[in-house]
């Protein structure tokens, strides 16, 4: 997922550079305004789709990372109580805090 996210971000950078080149080409007369408009429309559509995809991918990645941290903390907590032979006041207090 991280690799896909990186590739999508790189593509967004490429598209941004393409927009600048298209504008320069139109101003210099290398492409017509009609072609410029057509190419800009396609480029902007791809940019919008990629931005949405990157945002969604980043949210999923953040969620996965948060779940991994939560799972690790849960395992550590379980390991802390795995060998308890006696339930004293301190252990009861900690157990109440985590539930």
């Amino acid at each position: 997922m991280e690799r896909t996210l990186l590739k999508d971000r790189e593509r967004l950078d490429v598209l941004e550079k393409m927009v600048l080149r298209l504008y320069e080409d139109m101003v210099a007369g290398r492409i017509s305004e009609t072609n410029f408009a057509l190419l800009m429309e396609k480029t902007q559509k791809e940019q919008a789709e990629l931005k949405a995809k990157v945002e969604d991918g980043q949210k999923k990645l953040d969620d996965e990372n948060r779940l991994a941290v939560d799972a690790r903390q849960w395992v550590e907590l379980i390991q802390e109580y795995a060998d308890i032979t006696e339930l004293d006041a301190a252990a009861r207090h900690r157990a109440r805090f985590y539930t």
Side-chain angles (χ1 to χ4, degrees):
M1 181 177 285
E2 288 181 39
R3 236 180 279 156
T4 301
L5 201 54
L6 180 61
K7 287 175 75 174
D8 289 343
R9 285 187 174 135
E10 289 172 353
R11 179 63 180 162
L12 279 171
D13 289 341
V14 168
L15 290 172
E16 187 176 316
K17 291 173 185 170
M18 284 175 59
V19 167
L20 292 173
R21 272 187 258 129
L22 280 172
Y23 179 75
E24 290 171 358
D25 287 347
M26 187 208 42
V27 169
R30 291 187 287 263
I31 62 171
S32 68
E33 286 186 39
T34 304
N35 285 340
F36 171 78
L38 178 66
L39 292 169
M40 279 298 294
E41 183 180 334
K42 288 182 177 184
T43 303
Q44 288 174 333
K45 180 181 177 189
E46 185 179 353
Q47 280 179 315
E49 291 170 356
L50 274 175
K51 283 180 183 180
K53 186 177 174 185
V54 164
E55 287 175 10
D56 184 52
Q58 186 62 54
K59 184 184 180 311
K60 286 179 182 176
L61 187 61
D62 291 345
D63 289 346
E64 285 179 10
N65 289 335
R66 184 182 43 78
L67 285 173
V69 168
D70 289 350
R72 205 169 324 136
Q73 289 174 340
W74 184 80
V75 168
E76 290 170 3
L77 180 63
I78 294 300
Q79 288 174 341
E80 182 180 337
Y81 290 101
D83 296 326
I84 287 182
T85 56
E86 183 178 324
L87 190 59
D88 59 5
R92 281 194 313 267
H93 176 71
R94 283 194 305 266
R96 202 171 320 124
F97 176 74
Y98 290 112
T99 56

